[in-house]
Amino acid sequence: MSGTTIGFLMFGILMALLVLRIPIGIAMFMVGAGGYLYLVGDTLPLLNSLKNLAYARLSNYDLVVIPLFLMMGQFATHGGLSKALFRSVSAFLGHRKGGVAMAAIGACAGFGAICGSSLATAATMGQVALPELRRYGYSGSLATGALAAGGTLGIMIPPSVPLVIYAILTQESIGKLFMAAVLPGIIAMLGYMAVVRIIVTLNPAAGPAGPEASLAEKIKSLVTVLPVLLVFVVVIVGIYGGWANPTEAAAIGAAACGILAVVTGGMRAEGLLESLVGTAQATAMIFLVLLGADMLNTALALSQMPGELAAWVKHSGLSPLLVMVMILLIYVLLGCVMDSLAMILLTIPIFYPMVMGLDYWGMSQVDKSIWFGILALMVVEIGLVHPPVGMNVYIINRLAKDVPLVETFKGVIPFLISDFLRIGLLLFFPIISLYLVHTFQQ
């Protein structure tokens, strides 16, 4: 069999294992080890590879940013910072039709700036905002749909764990990727707010206006979230400005969030312990998936499948735009069966060489790498809300027990339309993601 055939066979076996509910990290490791053994035909090279695999991956200094960013999110979750964010945005938008839902989306964006996890953003903001949305009489589909879609901003707004993984896999700058994600993240937030506005314009009963806050209340709420904004600026500007590497900036951010959680959120010993345990569990899961992906990618590299596919695509005569659209559609389909991190780890070693070998509007290799990373992140984000899996949908629906799951999926459809429009915009106008990167380089 050719290397490409073996590679596709490995993917088929991997999908079968996922259907059998084998954890993604273990499934990738099993398929990778089996493929490696088949290609080499001897156990000794496999054992030698296994001997060095874990150390080679986990001794990577850049990986330290992952538990630190996760700890930031844990401190923000257990320290009550999500409530302050929601109250602040609600004070400015809550008096408008659909304003409380818009406030929930804005708070999700703010929380994503110190969290880096969509699932944590959806779960935390759902607990904070859902009672308020129901209290003001919002329809179940709008309330749950807005929160499920808003939760995806957790990985869109930097810092983002999937972007860190992409940077490590492609040897790209973490700071540049974070900077490139800022404008698309803001556009995503504004797009979701526009969707809420359209819905309540067509059906005013779906999102009634809340009471208007006084000027004093607005100023007070704004003051409470200024430290959160400061943490975001320190992390992003610190990394890109060059006065702190990603690990140092993440450590500063985690320490700052911990102090804020204690001082403003009243976090005590129990909350601190829960934060540390939660960080350890999430880190262990991510590192296990990383090891599984490394084993699988080692076998794929041995089969020469990525190189063969990249060469075939380059000489196939297919337009680069069509190739990119096909890649994005594959991501949407993969979102039905696996989470965002697994998709990034599984596909980037295959898709990245294809993209880098094609010409997109005359972009340089660095610009193309950054642009593709943001595009991939945006499509991966869709997998968190689109049927039939949509992990964010299930998280929010579990909190809103009175809303049928079908209603929640109906509620996210308008937000999915906004997602696809945004992807089309970035696909044809790469400058959206590259503008800040180029600006701060000058």
Side-chain angles (χ1 to χ4, degrees), residues 58-119:
L58 300 182
S59 62
N60 187 335
Y61 180 70
D62 290 340
L63 281 180
V64 179
V65 302
I66 293 177
L68 290 172
F69 281 140
L70 291 173
M71 188 176 292
M72 280 178 61
Q74 288 288 334
F75 285 153
T77 301
H78 294 288
L81 300 181
S82 54
K83 295 179 182 177
L85 285 165
F86 177 70
R87 283 195 298 265
S88 179
V89 185
S90 187
F92 287 88
L93 297 176
H95 63 284
R96 302 176 182 274
K97 287 183 179 179
V100 182
M102 294 183 199
I105 290 169
C108 284
F111 192 76
I114 53 175
C115 179
S117 167
S118 285
L119 300 182

Side-chain angles (χ1 to χ4, degrees), residues 25 29 53-55 57-58 286-296:
F29 192 90
L53 192 68
Y55 179 78
R57 169 56 68 196
L58 300 182
I286 291 172
F287 282 7
L288 177 61
V289 175
L290 271 171
L291 289 176
D294 276 350
M295 187 70 256
L296 180 62

Side-chain angles (χ1 to χ4, degrees), residues 340-357:
S340 56
L341 186 62
M343 277 193 278
I344 293 289
L345 286 166
L346 187 63
T347 59
I348 291 304
I350 296 171
F351 292 155
Y352 187 77
M354 291 185 194
V355 172
M356 299 308 288

Side-chain angles (χ1 to χ4, degrees), residues 17 87 112 141 154 174 195 214 303 312 321-322 338 356 396:
L17 291 176
R87 283 195 298 265
S141 60
I174 295 175
V195 167
S214 65
S303 73
W312 179 84
L321 192 59
L322 178 60
M338 61 180 65
M356 299 308 288
I396 297 299

Side-chain angles (χ1 to χ4, degrees), residues 12-23 26-28 30-31:
I13 295 172
L14 177 62
M15 292 300 150
L17 291 176
L18 293 179
V19 170
L20 295 175
R21 302 181 69 84
I22 303 295
I26 297 174
M28 286 194 290
M30 290 169 59
V31 172

